[in-house]
Amino acid sequence: MAVSEDAIQGSGAEPRASLIELLKRMQETHGCLSQEVLTKVAAETGLPLSKIYGVATFYTLLTTRPKGRYRIFFCKNAPCHVRGARRVLEAIVEYLGVQPGETTPDGLFTLELTSCLGLCAVAPAMMVGDDVYGNLTPQKAMAILEDYRTRERNEHAWS
Amino acid sequence: MSMRGPKRHLLIPIDPYTLSKGAERVKAALDKALALSNLTDTVRVVETGTVGHHEHGVLLIVYPDGVVYGDVTVDNIPQIVREHLQENRVVEGLVVRDVRIGPFDTRARRVEKQVRLVLRNVGLIDPESIEDYIAHEGYEAAARALTSLSPEQVLETVKASGIQGRGGAGFPTGVKWSFAAREKAPQKYIVCNADEGEPGTFKDRLILEGDPHSVLEGMLLAGYAVGATKGYVYIRGEYRMSIARMRKAIDQARSKGLLGRNILGSGFDFDVEVREGAGAYICGEETALLESMEGKRGEPRNKPPFPPQAGLWGMPTVVNNVETLANIPLIVKNGASWYRQFGTPTCPGTKVFTLVGNIVSPGLIEVPMGITLREVIFDIGHGIPRGRGFLFAQTGGTTGGILAAGELDVPMAYDTLRQVGSGLGSGALLVVDDSNCVVDLVQNFVEFFNHESCGKCTLCREGTGRLLEILHRLTSGQGDPRDIDLIRRLSVNMKRAAFCGLGQAAPTPILGALQRFEEIFREHAESHTCRAGVCRMRAEVAA
Ligand SMILES: Cc1cc2nc3c(=O)[nH]c(=O)nc-3n(C[C@H](O)[C@H](O)[C@H](O)COP(=O)(O)O)c2cc1C
Ligand code: SF4
Ligand code: FES
């Protein structure tokens, strides 16, 4: 994927404006911002690799490591916490057998903690990929994840 | 939404949550049912922005009847169409009564104390239609300002209105604008801060998704007042729908000549672009936001110079919150004294709050400044569920202060809350019941700060880590009486010496909790017990 210098250096007064957006696009195409990808961005933009790496590791939506097929964003901020998020998270950790930050061995789920998703009116809340779930209980959360598993299995069975 | 043509409108609020509850299928079923009943000429279905009441699933609002149906599913559609739309009988079993949308107050209980200025259109108009916004007097303020007011007059009106910024600090908006207006520079910028990372806060998202043009019009007026020709909306990357709606609104405004060159023939140029965030709470801090917009790590800058002097790319820049900007068209259209009839003399206007935590009716409300906490929690939010007692409330998100039961009658305004060591912050209002433990919650706050600290200065980077260690000791039964003093000293130092607002505000809830609930901290530290039974004491387990 060719990266035009213009996209990042911009013109005149506004250099580097879209480095973050460029990294986002690279991540979409390559899955994650591996060292290889970042080196390529550095080579093609002329920006130092250290600077690019600094940006890539600063933001939660950018990631330098590969993720599972579904990213689970679980909120544990106070509004979710006071409505029982901890017990839900414990159930998810047990169900998946991985800690926050880790990916399940089958590569299906990556469990991630996130800041408030703006769904506090239906706290506790989480997102799985782009799907939103609220009013979670331990049982409900496990049923939701089980659903993704089943769907995945069926897709494999049919393909 | 014009009232000519269709006689009734069915409003469906669309947001990520209602979509997950099947709002799209409900809308499709409605379209089909209306076609089958030959009602398409008299009834129009409108997708609106969210109204912030998620506890009722998919909502369906019948306008102008003022009836709000909740938890609507595809199966309810035939009944609603037949009974309500054809036979004019309300389907009582599906009506929800604790939701207020737009002007409908006939059936809602939580109405009386609310005043909807900022949220005037939210849930009522189609946010993807500029025509709808214009039909609701949108862009009237801009038209009037550009054709018959000078920039100075606009600035004076905003100054005289006394509006204070709604992003947290409450700085007078007119004063901020006048700093930028005074500067001479080849380029000035207006930046709308839509980063909204504060836990418990989602008001800006609901404004962006429910009424994006009111924010654009506010930016346009700000640009005119200070002489800026370029604006950016910096939106939190997670807010996919906000980003899409705002982009669409910008395109529409451009195609109607309300953005771009020579707007309404006035000779004034102004254009707006969306910038996406990438997930970092600190990027809500205005100088970190500017760094991020320049493509860098979002680390706060030294102040001064303040952004109105030297902001984006070193140029004078006004950074304003979404809610602040959404107020501006109303102020310019109706005048400063009109605005001052709402709120208190020292803190005019309304405030949008998100009511979250242990509360019967969570969601989005707008109330006049000066309302008491008690009124908000018990009259509007209907109190605390499951018969539990009130432990404390936190105003202003995770960086906000703590208010105990004895402080329920403090008026909610910037100045009055400051007197009790709190603030309005971003407008999150977290209610906590007595099944919770205050030490456990303080640990939760500190986890947040520790995670979100940008790492630039030692006091905050190391301080939040140390605080977390100490609190972890307390909540796991490893505490020591000296820990309480340690927490206090560390907090006071952070407050004094941290580089930016995050590190300076992080101690606010910690010190507030310590001051009001010291005996609970002592129980954890000295006798290793948690009266709420929340903290799992290792000592207890061993005993
Ligand atoms: C850590 C931190 C996070 C902040 N987050 C936000 C935010 O998400 N949205 C916002 O409008 N202001 C936020 N602010 C306040 C901004 O720095 C700034 O004061 C505000 O955008 C100014 O707009 P106003 O004058 O309209 O309130 C934050 C401040 C700090 C210190
Ligand atoms: S106080 Fe915290 S967030 Fe602010 S500059 Fe220091 S480390 Fe960064
Ligand atoms: S605190 Fe969890 S979604 Fe807001």
Side-chain angles (χ1 to χ4, degrees):
Chain A
M1 179 197 210
V3 181
S4 108
E5 201 159 311
D6 255 18
I8 305 156
Q9 303 278 344
S11 55
E14 308 193 357
R16 297 220 307 180
S18 51
L19 176 60
I20 294 169
E21 269 161 40
L22 175 87
L23 289 175
K24 271 187 167 173
R25 258 186 284 136
M26 295 295 276
Q27 178 166 305
E28 253 163 51
T29 329
H30 297 269
C32 74
L33 299 171
S34 61
Q35 189 165 353
E36 199 189 341
V37 174
L38 292 183
T39 313
K40 200 159 140 188
V41 174
E44 294 188 26
T45 60
L47 292 169
L49 182 60
S50 59
K51 279 263 148 62
I52 296 173
Y53 190 75
V55 171
T57 52
F58 187 82
Y59 295 96
T60 357
L61 297 186
L62 301 178
T63 169
T64 53
R65 278 193 293 166
K67 302 280 172 173
R69 167 125 182 227
Y70 297 104
R71 294 175 74 176
I72 303 171
F73 298 98
F74 189 87
C75 172
K76 60 175 292 205
N77 286 167
C80 280
H81 185 78
V82 302
R83 293 184 28 150
R86 173 155 67 186
R87 277 184 24 249
V88 179
L89 181 61
E90 282 168 0
I92 293 177
V93 165
E94 188 171 332
Y95 173 79
L96 295 178
V98 296
Q99 293 297 319
E102 296 174 354
T103 302
T104 52
D106 59 5
L108 198 54
F109 296 110
T110 302
L111 178 58
E112 298 176 60
L113 297 180
T114 169
S115 291
C116 177
L117 296 161
L119 298 162
C120 342
V122 290
M126 69 172 175
M127 288 179 76
V128 182
D130 287 331
D131 303 331
V132 177
Y133 301 94
N135 291 322
L136 295 174
T137 60
Q139 293 72 25
K140 190 168 163 191
M142 284 191 289
I144 290 166
L145 297 181
E146 185 63 36
D147 245 26
Y148 282 89
R149 275 231 162 106
T150 316
R151 217 180 303 163
E152 184 77 2
R153 254 183 245 126
N154 291 345
E155 264 169 42
H156 273 288
W158 288 101
S159 62
Chain B
M1 165 178 60
S2 155
M3 281 295 117
R4 288 173 299 261
K7 158 164 140 257
R8 268 195 181 114
H9 290 76
L10 299 177
L11 314 181
I12 302 190
I14 300 283
D15 62 43
Y17 193 75
T18 57
L19 285 176
S20 79
K21 292 281 176 187
E24 214 144 23
R25 288 193 302 278
V26 170
K27 164 142 195 310
L30 253 179
D31 287 338
K32 210 161 119 201
L34 293 177
L36 280 176
S37 332
N38 290 320
L39 285 172
T40 33
D41 290 339
T42 51
V43 181
R44 188 181 143 215
V45 184
V46 181
E47 291 185 18
T48 74
T50 178
V51 290
H53 297 280
H54 285 146
E55 70 277 25
H56 295 297
V58 179
L59 293 173
L60 187 64
I61 304 145
V62 188
Y63 186 83
D65 311 30
V67 175
V68 182
Y69 292 118
D71 292 308
V72 179
T73 66
V74 170
D75 297 341
N76 302 136
I77 295 304
Q79 191 188 9
I80 292 175
V81 169
R82 192 180 61 247
E83 292 186 19
H84 192 142
L85 302 181
Q86 293 185 311
E87 298 164 12
N88 289 311
R89 267 186 299 126
V90 173
V91 186
E92 291 294 340
L94 295 173
V95 172
V96 291
R97 297 184 193 281
D98 55 351
V99 169
R100 182 185 192 202
I101 291 124
F104 311 135
D105 46 14
T106 44
R107 296 181 163 257
R109 282 190 286 143
R110 63 197 279 175
V111 202
E112 314 79 40
K113 302 212 157 147
Q114 295 207 44
V115 177
R116 296 216 160 193
L117 305 184
V118 176
L119 303 179
R120 62 197 177 279
N121 293 328
V122 171
L124 193 62
I125 65 169
D126 176 353
E128 303 203 353
S129 157
I130 190 171
E131 286 80 11
D132 250 20
Y133 180 68
I134 291 172
H136 283 73
E137 307 178 356
Y139 290 110
E140 265 183 28
R144 193 163 148 249
L146 263 49
T147 54
S148 58
L149 299 176
S150 67
E152 293 73 25
Q153 282 172 313
V154 174
L155 185 55
E156 277 316 310
T157 306
V158 172
K159 234 186 192 168
S161 77
I163 183 174
Q164 291 150 292
R166 301 299 196 239
F171 192 81
T173 305
V175 176
K176 186 187 280 187
W177 289 14
S178 66
F179 293 149
R182 202 181 293 154
E183 295 292 319
K184 297 261 171 300
Q187 175 78 56
K188 299 181 192 177
Y189 298 103
I190 305 294
V191 173
C192 170
N193 186 345
D195 194 49
E196 190 162 69
E198 193 68 54
T201 313
F202 46 96
K203 57 153 184 117
D204 291 342
R205 174 160 66 85
L206 304 191
I207 297 169
L208 290 168
E209 291 176 9
D211 194 14
H213 285 286
S214 67
V215 181
L216 279 183
E217 189 179 2
M219 291 178 75
L220 175 61
L221 289 164
Y224 183 66
V226 309
T229 55
K230 184 77 200 261
Y232 291 95
V233 192
Y234 184 95
I235 307 182
R236 186 174 166 184
E238 288 92 333
Y239 282 5
R240 303 311 311 168
M241 189 179 272
S242 306
I243 292 168
R245 289 238 164 106
M246 186 47 90
R247 290 218 161 105
K248 189 156 185 183
I250 291 170
D251 287 345
Q252 290 174 344
R254 234 181 245 143
S255 71
K256 286 241 184 287
L258 290 160
L259 285 180
R261 298 206 154 273
N262 190 20
I263 298 171
L264 301 172
S266 64
F268 175 63
D269 303 336
F270 191 76
D271 213 339
V272 178
E273 255 179 67
V274 170
R275 277 292 154 83
E276 295 180 28
Y281 169 70
I282 189 62
C283 289
E285 196 278 340
E286 55 184 0
T287 60
L289 185 151
L290 298 174
E291 288 286 295
S292 175
M293 279 191 52
E294 294 179 8
K296 297 180 246 169
R297 293 165 67 93
E299 290 176 358
R301 295 176 181 172
N302 250 325
K303 291 194 272 194
F306 291 92
Q309 284 120 35
L312 190 62
W313 319 116
M315 297 294 158
T317 303
V318 168
V319 181
N320 271 141
N321 170 261
V322 171
E323 183 188 343
T324 312
L325 289 164
N327 267 293
I328 300 298
L330 281 179
I331 293 172
V332 173
K333 187 157 79 73
N334 300 314
S337 51
W338 171 85
Y339 189 71
R340 281 188 167 274
Q341 69 178 294
F342 306 101
T344 70
T346 47
C347 195
T350 60
K351 181 79 193 81
V352 180
F353 287 101
T354 41
L355 204 48
V356 300
N358 305 126
I359 183 103
V360 173
S361 304
L364 185 74
I365 61 166
E366 182 174 352
V367 288
M369 291 282 192
I371 192 168
T372 67
L373 194 55
R374 187 187 303 280
E375 291 173 285
V376 171
I377 296 175
F378 293 96
D379 297 344
I380 301 178
H382 302 128
I384 293 162
R386 292 178 290 122
R388 304 290 323 199
F390 173 83
L391 185 65
F392 68 80
Q394 186 180 33
T395 62
T398 298
T399 44
I402 303 283
L403 297 173
E407 295 161 302
L408 280 168
D409 294 308
V410 174
M412 312 255 296
Y414 288 105
D415 46 352
T416 45
L417 280 175
R418 208 170 291 135
Q419 286 160 15
V420 292
S422 192
L424 280 184
S426 55
L429 184 53
L430 171 68
V431 181
V432 179
D433 75 21
D434 59 7
S435 69
N436 291 281
C437 167
V438 68
V439 186
D440 170 70
L441 268 166
V442 168
Q443 176 175 290
N444 181 285
F445 301 153
V446 173
E447 272 172 22
F448 174 78
F449 298 132
N450 184 50
H451 182 257
E452 298 297 343
S453 167
C454 82
K456 180 181 174 116
C457 69
T458 323
L459 250 166
C460 169
R461 188 185 60 232
E462 305 297 327
T464 52
R466 281 289 288 145
L467 278 171
L468 195 53
E469 263 173 52
I470 303 168
L471 284 158
H472 187 69
R473 283 210 298 268
L474 291 183
T475 56
S476 63
Q478 313 286 300
D480 181 296
R482 280 168 307 181
D483 285 341
I484 293 176
D485 196 40
L486 263 179
I487 295 175
R488 191 173 277 129
R489 273 173 32 221
L490 202 47
S491 300
V492 168
N493 283 329
M494 270 179 72
K495 194 178 171 135
R496 284 203 196 116
F499 185 82
C500 86
L502 190 151
Q504 291 157 13
T508 309
I510 307 171
L511 291 169
L514 250 182
Q515 188 192 335
R516 289 163 181 82
F517 299 102
E518 180 158 344
E519 76 283 4
I520 299 185
F521 282 82
R522 292 224 165 274
E523 286 163 16
H524 283 72
E526 288 164 12
S527 47
H528 303 160
T529 53
C530 174
R531 62 167 89 162
V534 170
C535 303
R536 293 159 198 184
M537 300 290 182
R538 226 179 286 171
E540 241 176 26
V541 175

